Amino acid sequence: MVDQIMHTGNKPAPTLATTLAFAIVAISITVAFASGQLVTLLLNLGLNTFAAYPEIFVFLVIAVLATIASAMPNSNRLAIVSIAGVMGYIALTYNQDMLIKYLSLAALLFSIGMYGMVVSRNAVRVLMSIELMLNAVNLNLVAFARYVDPVHIRGQIFAIFILTVAAAEAAVGLAIVLAIYRNTSTVDMEKFNLLKW
Amino acid sequence: MKIDGTVVRGDHFSGNIAEIRKFAVMSLSWLTVIFVAVWGVCWALGIFIPMCLANSSFDFAAILSEVCKALTPIAAVLVFIPINAMFMVLMERRALALFTRRNGPNRVGPDGALQTAADAVKLLLKEDITPTGADALMFTLAPIIFFAPSIFGALPLLAAVTNNHKLFQIVDLPTGIFYVLAASSVPVVGIVMGGWASNNKYSLMGGLRSAAQAISYEIPLVLSLVTICLLAGTLDVVSIAYQQSGGLLNWNILGGGALIGLNKAIAALVSSSGAPFAEVMNAYYPYGWLSFVGAAVLCMCTVILFGVYLIGACAEINRIPFDLPEAESELVSGYNTEYSGIKFAIFFLAEFTNLFIVSTIAVVMFLGSGDCPLPTWLNPLSYPAVYEPLAKALSPVLSVLINDLHLINPPTFWAALWVIFKTYSLIFFAILVRGTLPRFRIDQLMDFGWKRLIPITLVIFVLVAFARGVINFHV
Amino acid sequence: MEQFELLTNWAQVNVEAFVLYALAIIAIPCAFCVLFDRAIIRSGFFLIGVFGAVCGLFLILQAQFLALAQLMIYTVGITLVVVIALMLTNPRLEKEGVAVEGRERFSGLVIATVFFLTIYCALRSESWPLSSLRMNPENVKQIGAALITTYALPFEFASVLLLAALMGAILLAKAEPKNDVSKIAGEN
């Protein structure tokens, strides 16, 4: 029984080659951008539009490469997406203010949560995605409290209220999931379509 | 041992006296070794190296000495935890043997004093097995997540137990006790993780039980400490420790400061120099009998809170009678069934460290931290005539040690001695409880937590919030 | 924190940004793992990883109280989610695949990406009224004072909300006597 609960690694292990190649390319392009050599390279190549916004260029390159790499057979998609996310984030925010770095991170986490909420079939995972989104919002508020309103720190106080609401939401959400499970013996979101005509 | 009535009694008694003497000698020598070693490391890293660097002329000297000073608290904790856990395991086994009239470990070293050192070597040399079907990443992460919070959780307490020694002021956080509580809520994740990742039904059951138990008992635990913070008016452990200085009557276990006025009034009466008795009493208890009732209520509440704290702490760290997650007879020692070698050693280390930390929290929050229990007006040491001759005789040695080498810091020294005494007494008490009480059943455990402890702490919280209005605290 | 400024001045690099990136390198992969890991239990543990990283971010943003509250509430809360996921997850269903069919998946990806890029562009085009004032190092006290003066009413409402949620959760979960109510109630 427990074996069934903890099914782990019954898929063939993905090969490392694609992932590693992608990681090396993504990291080197980000480092080149951070050290400023990418801009000179782009100018030498005559790509002036991209040289004005090198971070967009890096982001696009990484996104395209990630799509290609994850489409390869036997690649470790999770690792590729993670590396692409981290490197894209670093490239987009490297030359920005501290505030924008925090806000972008929060936006990224929020988008990840939103995507998870849309695509997850497991109701518990949907709840987790919602928690992730709420936390990203909290990060926003605390960053504002630090950089825009350090005297009254209203952002932090608002974040406390969000924390309580998140706790209430999680409690009720889990109880609902539990109740649904009792009626349908599943937590699959696709099967909760009783109200669909 | 004879079966015959009267003789047996005397026989028991004399037999135990020898064992108790051995136990005491073993404890004292181990404690000396532990604390000399820990203080030696702190002194070398925080005082001696910076002193040497101050005389040198190379560029990074200043920065290097700052780094050394900043690393001192971490080094202290890291050196302390393994040696202390070895001692505590030995102490537990010897003490349990005492309670059950056995001999306990007595082969390795003099009277078995090196038994746990040998055990530690054995554990570290054993093969580290990951069971088939286990989730390798989570299986490895679990002991780390279980252990890491106890290192970080111990840090803010360092300043409080050493009378705010300047080496440890860096870890004196304004949110001290909250930080400790937050750190102590993390280990349950490690237990659930380890229980799930082991791919074993007993481990899984242990992990689930642990989650339920830790969550249920964290609420009374936190509420009892929050009530003490309410009385103290601060979250800073050093301030809380300082507020309690000056004898038993000032400790948080007796009214959380409600008896400070009484203490001061008696001191005024004894010294017959300062303000008169009635005036001091009026300053602290302005509403007459109402204030006295309030003080009595506060005393009662804090004593109950101390009991609640001890119970909650026992449940948090899975000690008997709350050791359901690792019940040997039911779950084959629960979440750590599948662990062996160094990972098991880490679990083991963390459990004993957690016991030490919750005892230290109790000492700092309730039992006056490094304070002598005798009130100042009763304490012979507060009258210099008692110890002055001795101090004079030793003064050449002491002045070198204290002023030149900074090897001894008298306030820290006495405070640390008291803390050590109180903390290990509480640990001894926990062992006594282990030797006395049977294990709870899981439903009894839940009932007791939710239907008894939480309502009690909530009622006390409200009572304290009202009662503290009729007394002047910390004038 | 002030130590960051000292270190920044000394080491000639932005220490705060460095720590931020280090935490982002933990948070972002963990967030992806929450979505894509096949075992729901492991997703839960990765979610705790994300929250741990966010707690670190709160610390470098000088919000000690929030950081510690976050740690306390979420480690316990998510452990509960994990426990409930463990009880409710049907392993056969999980093996069929994690996500919904391709079309919805693709539209979700497009929406999330467009959303992120829109916010990013908005962030960059805005000129923020950054304040150079220092934060009060004792901001825990400040939060406490604000919560019982200016924000006393919302604070009370939050407590009523929590009570209502607690009772609602117990009511919803209590339908069958064999169920363990205490775990649900422990959420708050």
Side-chain angles (χ1 to χ4, degrees):
Chain A
M1 185 204 102
V2 178
D3 288 331
Q4 275 185 337
I5 294 173
M6 290 178 278
H7 56 86
T8 44
N10 41 13
K11 216 174 60 167
T15 47
L16 262 179
T18 331
T19 318
L20 211 60
F22 173 73
I24 291 169
V25 172
I27 292 173
S28 52
I29 195 169
T30 315
V31 170
F33 163 71
S35 60
Q37 285 165 351
L38 189 74
V39 182
T40 21
L41 186 73
L42 287 174
L43 281 175
N44 289 342
L45 289 172
L47 298 164
N48 288 336
T49 331
F50 280 130
Y53 297 104
E55 60 268 25
I56 305 289
F57 174 75
V58 174
F59 181 78
L60 287 178
V61 169
I62 288 178
V64 169
L65 283 179
T67 319
I68 295 170
S70 55
M72 299 271 221
N74 251 358
S75 60
N76 188 344
R77 287 194 195 131
L78 190 55
I80 289 170
V81 172
S82 301
I83 294 167
V86 171
M87 290 304 149
Y89 166 69
I90 292 178
L92 284 180
T93 58
Y94 190 76
N95 291 325
Q96 308 296 327
D97 282 341
M98 282 309 291
L99 177 63
I100 293 188
K101 287 178 185 168
Y102 286 109
L103 297 188
S104 308
L105 180 59
L108 183 57
L109 289 179
F110 192 89
S111 312
I112 294 172
M114 198 160 78
Y115 178 65
M117 205 176 79
V118 173
V119 303
S120 297
R121 284 178 66 173
N122 191 326
V124 179
R125 209 189 290 262
V126 173
L127 277 179
M128 288 181 190
S129 302
I130 294 174
E131 293 288 331
L132 194 60
M133 287 161 74
L134 284 169
N135 228 276
V137 173
N138 264 357
L139 181 55
N140 252 351
L141 289 170
V142 176
F144 280 130
R146 164 79 175 81
Y147 283 102
V148 180
D149 180 27
V151 180
H152 299 294
I153 51 171
R154 280 168 288 213
Q156 288 192 23
I157 291 160
F158 206 87
I160 290 173
F161 289 121
I162 290 187
L163 222 58
T164 54
V165 172
E169 172 262 322
V172 177
L174 282 176
I176 291 174
V177 170
L178 209 63
I180 289 179
Y181 180 79
R182 270 201 213 107
N183 288 327
T184 60
S185 305
T186 176
V187 285
D188 189 349
M189 295 298 276
E190 301 284 292
K191 308 231 164 85
F192 299 164
N193 49 10
L194 294 174
L195 289 180
K196 215 169 169 183
W197 62 88
Chain B
M1 196 173 80
K2 291 171 197 167
I3 311 295
D4 188 6
T6 51
V7 187
V8 170
R9 186 162 222 127
D11 191 29
H12 272 234
F13 196 64
S14 61
N16 251 5
I17 285 288
E19 284 299 311
I20 289 170
R21 189 187 54 79
K22 277 183 198 167
F23 177 77
V25 169
M26 187 270 300
S27 302
L28 284 180
S29 42
W30 259 99
L31 283 176
T32 318
V33 169
I34 292 173
F35 288 97
V36 166
V38 171
W39 175 243
V41 169
C42 291
W43 177 77
L45 201 58
I47 295 174
F48 185 67
I49 292 179
M51 241 162 42
C52 298
L53 285 173
N55 299 327
S56 68
S57 58
F58 73 102
D59 291 345
F60 291 110
I63 287 156
L64 198 61
S65 67
E66 284 305 309
V67 169
C68 280
K69 279 180 191 166
L71 284 180
T72 310
I74 294 261
V77 171
L78 285 182
V79 171
F80 176 71
I81 283 176
I83 323 178
N84 175 54
M86 278 202 269
F87 166 60
M88 278 167 68
V89 175
L90 188 62
M91 178 177 162
E92 175 146 14
R93 292 176 64 180
R94 290 300 296 239
L96 281 176
L98 266 186
F99 304 148
T100 47
R101 289 275 299 136
R102 292 181 286 111
N103 281 334
N106 56 6
R107 286 289 182 273
V108 189
D111 288 333
L114 297 177
Q115 177 66 46
T116 41
D119 284 349
V121 172
K122 184 196 77 177
L123 268 181
L124 294 183
L125 293 179
K126 266 173 105 173
E127 189 189 354
D128 183 18
I129 302 167
T130 305
T132 325
D135 187 332
L137 174 66
M138 296 296 162
F139 192 73
T140 316
L141 265 179
I144 299 170
I145 290 182
F146 191 61
F147 183 47
S150 49
I151 298 178
F152 292 112
L155 286 178
L157 294 171
L158 271 177
V161 298
T162 54
N163 216 342
N164 211 7
H165 190 276
K166 65 179 188 304
L167 275 181
F168 303 117
Q169 273 168 10
I170 190 170
V171 290
D172 175 22
L173 306 170
T175 49
I177 192 66
F178 194 33
Y179 178 93
V180 177
L181 287 176
S184 74
S185 71
V186 177
V188 60
V189 179
I191 295 184
V192 177
M193 199 183 254
W196 175 73
S198 297
N199 193 17
N200 176 329
K201 50 181 165 299
Y202 295 118
S203 303
L204 188 61
M205 283 306 296
L208 294 185
R209 277 184 177 188
S210 164
Q213 175 179 328
I215 289 158
S216 313
Y217 280 80
E218 188 161 339
I219 301 169
L221 178 78
V222 171
L223 273 175
S224 66
L225 290 184
V226 161
T227 314
I228 293 300
C229 290
L230 176 77
L231 284 169
T234 175
L235 291 172
D236 180 11
V237 278
V238 175
S239 313
I240 292 176
Y242 274 165
Q243 282 173 1
Q244 302 179 61
S245 63
L248 185 67
L249 290 176
N250 292 1
W251 292 3
N252 277 343
I253 189 174
L254 286 178
L259 298 184
I260 286 181
L262 184 65
N263 193 20
K264 287 220 172 125
I266 297 176
L269 200 64
V270 170
S271 69
S272 69
S273 59
F277 182 80
E279 201 174 290
V280 178
M281 287 297 269
N282 271 336
Y284 279 89
Y285 308 106
Y287 302 109
W289 64 270
L290 196 60
S291 298
F292 297 136
V293 171
V297 168
L298 280 178
C299 288
M300 214 173 61
C301 288
T302 42
V303 170
I304 298 174
L305 281 180
F306 183 63
V308 171
Y309 173 81
L310 286 186
I311 295 171
C314 252
E316 276 288 289
I317 59 175
N318 303 328
R319 292 277 308 178
I320 288 176
F322 301 101
D323 68 332
L324 290 136
E326 42 185 313
E328 295 95 341
S329 46
E330 301 166 31
L331 294 180
V332 210
S333 88
Y335 59 87
N336 51 28
T337 305
E338 298 290 349
Y339 281 92
S340 62
I342 184 140
K343 287 176 194 155
F344 178 73
I346 293 175
F347 266 118
F348 209 58
L349 205 62
E351 262 174 39
F352 280 91
T353 310
N354 285 342
L355 173 58
F356 183 82
I357 289 176
V358 295
S359 308
T360 317
I361 296 173
V363 169
V364 170
M365 297 297 288
F366 289 97
L367 298 181
S369 194
D371 186 40
C372 172
L374 289 176
T376 324
W377 37 270
L378 210 67
N379 191 347
L381 282 181
S382 58
Y383 301 103
V386 180
Y387 62 92
E388 216 158 49
L390 190 68
K392 227 171 222 166
L394 288 174
S395 67
V397 186
L398 282 180
S399 81
V400 170
L401 286 179
I402 294 174
N403 298 327
D404 297 340
L405 287 176
H406 300 287
L407 192 55
I408 298 175
N409 183 342
T412 302
F413 179 72
W414 294 114
L417 271 192
W418 277 114
V419 169
I420 291 167
F421 173 71
K422 291 173 189 171
T423 309
Y424 284 97
S425 307
L426 277 181
I427 292 169
F428 189 80
F429 176 70
I431 299 170
L432 187 62
V433 169
R434 177 180 170 167
T436 315
L437 294 182
R439 185 179 299 134
F440 270 82
R441 227 171 46 217
I442 185 83
D443 59 318
Q444 292 170 335
L445 178 97
M446 286 295 156
D447 268 13
F448 186 60
W450 286 95
K451 295 185 188 163
R452 304 279 185 284
L453 287 186
I454 293 177
I456 285 179
T457 40
L458 283 174
V459 167
I460 287 182
F461 185 83
V462 175
L463 270 182
V464 165
F466 281 105
R468 76 190 288 272
V470 295
I471 299 169
N472 285 334
F473 281 86
H474 313 301
V475 177
Chain C
M1 301 185 211
E2 280 96 55
Q3 288 93 327
F4 278 150
E5 281 168 35
L6 292 179
L7 268 177
T8 304
N9 291 338
W10 174 67
Q12 304 291 319
V13 287
N14 192 344
V15 180
E16 192 183 347
F18 185 75
V19 179
L20 164 66
Y21 281 132
L23 289 170
I25 288 173
I26 299 171
I28 296 172
C30 280
F32 278 119
C33 288
V34 172
L35 303 197
F36 300 123
D37 205 301
R38 289 165 58 82
I40 179 88
I41 316 297
R42 221 164 8 176
S43 309
F45 291 130
F46 281 120
L47 190 61
I48 296 177
V50 178
F51 288 159
V54 174
C55 162
L57 289 173
F58 285 176
L59 276 183
I60 61 175
L61 283 168
Q62 305 188 27
Q64 293 99 336
F65 177 78
L66 264 174
L68 298 176
Q70 159 113 353
L71 198 65
M72 247 175 133
I73 294 172
Y74 278 114
T75 47
V76 174
I78 302 304
T79 311
L80 272 176
V81 174
V82 166
V83 168
I84 288 188
L86 193 68
M87 294 192 295
L88 303 188
T89 304
N90 192 337
R92 266 158 290 152
L93 175 113
E94 279 282 298
K95 267 179 194 162
E96 284 165 17
V98 176
V100 292
E101 68 243 49
R103 197 163 52 82
E104 268 179 49
R105 208 170 156 179
F106 180 72
S107 58
L109 185 65
V110 169
I111 290 171
T113 318
V114 168
F115 178 80
F116 172 67
L117 287 178
T118 315
I119 289 195
Y120 175 72
C121 294
L123 288 179
R124 284 199 53 181
S125 56
E126 182 80 22
S127 63
W128 296 102
L130 291 182
S131 166
S132 58
L133 291 171
R134 278 177 176 280
M135 238 166 148
N136 184 357
E138 290 211 335
N139 54 28
V140 181
K141 222 170 239 175
Q142 209 180 337
I143 291 174
L147 276 181
I148 55 165
T149 53
T150 322
Y151 301 95
L153 196 62
F155 189 62
E156 291 303 318
F157 276 125
S159 63
V160 173
L161 171 78
L162 276 178
L163 183 65
L166 185 77
M167 281 155 58
I170 292 176
L171 204 70
L172 276 173
K174 211 188 172 177
E176 270 174 327
K178 68 178 177 185
N179 192 50
D180 192 356
V181 177
S182 50
K183 280 174 193 163
I184 308 297
E187 179 60 35
N188 294 309

